[in-house]
Amino acid sequence: MNLRNILDRIWLQFQDEKELRSSLFEMMGFYPHDISYYKLALSHKSVGRRNDKGKPLNNERLEFLGDAMLDASVGYIVYRHFEGKREGFLTNTRSKLVSRDTLGKLAEEMGLTRMILSSGQSTSHNSYMAGNAFEALVGAIYLDQGFNAVMRFMEKRILAKMINIDKVAFKEVNFKSKLLEWSQRNRVKLEYRMMKQVKDKETGSPVFRFCVVLEGVEGEQGEGFSKKEAQQLASEATLKRLKREPQFIDAIFAAKSDRTKMEEEPSMAVPNISEDGQEDFIIARPREQEPEDRFQQRQRSKSVAETARAEVKSDEFDLSDITAIPQEKSREDIIAEAEAAAFAEE
């Protein structure tokens, strides 16, 4: 039995071909040439179908192809739309437009979610599954009618009618980038600590949990189906906590004060060996490290923390409002570095 016959049998469980062609025309603005690509794009792996050679029949390969086509087409559209904007801005905008959340919402609005053929056991992953199906649909368009068709679909049907590209571009949603920028501006040590990695019981997909750690002080945690997703959620929750909990900022800057104090002081001195073989274990401290100076240093750190706490105001997490220490680098350089770290592959 060939691939087309297998896909036709699968689709009998869902709807007839005429209805499918009509639905695709409403979504895409054109009729498909080879309907088998689109049937495959809408077949989730949970169905567990295989061809006569034992190879799985699902949309994962088309999802991979569609992801690449989305990056290329949306990247070109963003490049042309925002003339003169820097690379960091363009990368951030493209990432928001092709994010899992955006694609999932698009799939829902277009009615694509209702057309996905699945086992029905993955409802908790609906937005995740819908976003994958959207990518697979783009992959099917490319195989069926080429890259120009993908460009027309994204530009005329999606970005022109369903998404306000300017609003998306200037909306702050990259919470990891924001937290990285804040930590760099305030010289606060930031790390993302993996708390667990397990497999989802229903789909077998990996699930990650990360915790934000600032100067050794644990922030909030986030859980997702990728490391990036988990870190973004943890960053968002931590930024909200920075806004609402003054004690959290105090604890971070107190820990920072202790760290910088320890870095400035020698951790140990080499003992002197006297002529009679006896070791001198008494380590003399320099005068500038007397308790009075440490108290003054802590007071300065406390003042910095109070300034940072008082300026946490913006609902959009505008880091100019929660910056405490004058920056040595330009704001554009700091944002570019933060975005590069936020979008780096884990």
Side-chain angles (χ1 to χ4, degrees):
M1 185 179 296
N2 60 33
L3 176 61
R4 181 180 293 276
N5 289 336
I6 293 173
L7 290 171
D8 286 341
R9 287 183 60 189
I10 293 174
W11 212 257
L12 288 175
Q13 302 179 35
F14 180 67
Q15 58 186 28
D16 59 42
E17 189 170 296
K18 183 178 179 181
E19 183 182 351
L20 174 60
R21 286 182 178 273
S22 177
S23 298
L24 289 171
F25 177 80
E26 290 180 8
M27 283 192 298
M28 303 185 305
F30 56 86
Y31 285 107
H33 293 160
D34 189 340
I35 196 70
S36 65
Y37 291 130
Y38 302 89
K39 291 179 179 180
L40 190 61
L42 297 170
S43 299
H44 188 255
K45 65 179 180 180
S46 63
V47 176
R49 304 282 183 169
R50 296 181 177 273
N51 63 15
D52 52 0
K53 294 182 179 180
K55 293 184 178 181
L57 291 173
N58 58 55
N59 61 7
E60 286 188 330
R61 284 171 54 82
L62 282 175
E63 175 193 336
F64 165 80
L65 180 62
D67 178 61
M69 293 302 105
L70 277 172
D71 275 350
S73 59
V74 174
Y76 177 65
I77 293 168
V78 169
Y79 174 84
R80 194 174 55 191
H81 185 84
F82 295 104
E83 186 176 353
K85 288 292 185 180
R86 295 181 61 180
E87 179 188 2
F89 175 88
L90 299 178
T91 299
N92 201 5
T93 300
R94 182 185 62 184
S95 297
K96 286 185 280 189
L97 289 170
V98 299
S99 70
R100 189 66 55 196
D101 286 342
T102 300
L103 298 183
K105 290 175 183 176
L106 282 172
E108 185 67 32
E109 289 295 319
M110 294 165 59
L112 184 65
T113 307
R114 298 189 297 273
M115 300 170 63
I116 300 172
L117 184 68
S118 70
S119 66
Q121 298 177 357
S122 303
T123 54
S124 63
H125 299 35
N126 238 6
S127 63
Y128 194 71
M129 183 169 63
N132 292 345
F134 185 93
E135 290 178 338
L137 176 66
V138 172
I141 294 173
Y142 173 74
L143 291 178
D144 184 39
Q145 302 195 24
F147 186 72
N148 287 338
V150 172
M151 284 292 300
R152 288 194 301 273
F153 172 65
M154 291 304 301
E155 193 166 24
K156 305 297 183 183
R157 304 291 293 189
I158 302 300
L159 296 180
K161 295 185 177 181
M162 301 187 70
I163 294 180
N164 185 327
I165 189 172
D166 294 293
K167 186 175 181 180
V168 170
F170 292 101
K171 182 180 180 182
E172 297 295 350
V173 298
N174 188 359
F175 299 107
K176 182 177 179 181
S177 177
K178 280 298 181 184
L179 189 57
L180 282 165
E181 184 188 342
W182 182 84
S183 66
Q184 290 179 14
R185 196 185 293 270
N186 288 279
R187 304 173 193 169
V188 168
K189 282 192 173 182
L190 166 65
E191 66 173 301
Y192 290 86
R193 184 179 299 164
M194 186 187 292
M195 307 302 289
K196 72 172 184 178
Q197 178 180 347
V198 298
K199 285 190 175 182
D200 182 81
K201 294 181 180 179
E202 293 183 354
T203 65
S205 300
V207 177
F208 302 92
R209 174 175 286 275
F210 274 85
C211 178
V212 170
V213 181
L214 296 160
E215 292 290 351
V217 179
E218 289 193 359
E220 296 301 298
Q221 298 185 14
E223 188 171 289
F225 298 107
S226 70
K227 292 180 179 180
K228 287 184 178 180
E229 182 183 6
Q231 290 174 1
Q232 280 281 12
L233 292 173
S235 299
E236 179 182 6
T238 300
L239 282 166
K240 289 179 178 178
R241 185 176 173 188
L242 283 169
K243 291 182 52 166
R244 69 173 184 262
E245 289 187 26
Q247 301 88 343
F248 184 41
I249 294 180
D250 289 340
I252 293 169
F253 279 90
K256 177 190 171 184
S257 176
D258 291 340
R259 171 178 63 81
T260 55
K261 178 184 64 180
M262 292 178 64
E263 288 175 353
E264 290 172 1
E265 294 180 0
S267 59
M268 66 174 291
V270 179
N272 293 323
I273 306 297
S274 60
E275 291 183 357
D276 60 0
Q278 298 298 316
E279 296 182 347
D280 181 7
F281 289 103
I282 301 176
I283 301 172
R285 294 181 181 273
R287 285 185 175 275
E288 60 271 22
Q289 297 299 332
E290 291 297 326
E292 180 179 357
D293 287 331
R294 273 186 267 163
F295 174 77
Q296 291 173 350
Q297 185 182 29
R298 186 174 291 278
Q299 288 297 99
R300 286 196 299 272
S301 179
K302 183 178 180 181
S303 176
V304 167
E306 288 174 350
T307 303
R309 182 180 65 245
E311 293 179 349
V312 179
K313 296 176 181 178
S314 172
D315 289 336
E316 295 298 325
F317 303 115
D318 182 354
L319 293 183
S320 64
D321 290 340
I322 55 176
T323 297
I325 298 176
Q327 56 186 359
E328 297 176 352
K329 301 178 182 178
S330 70
R331 176 175 173 78
E332 287 189 346
D333 288 339
I334 289 176
I335 292 175
E337 289 178 8
E339 285 176 344
F343 289 110
E345 288 295 332
E346 299 298 338

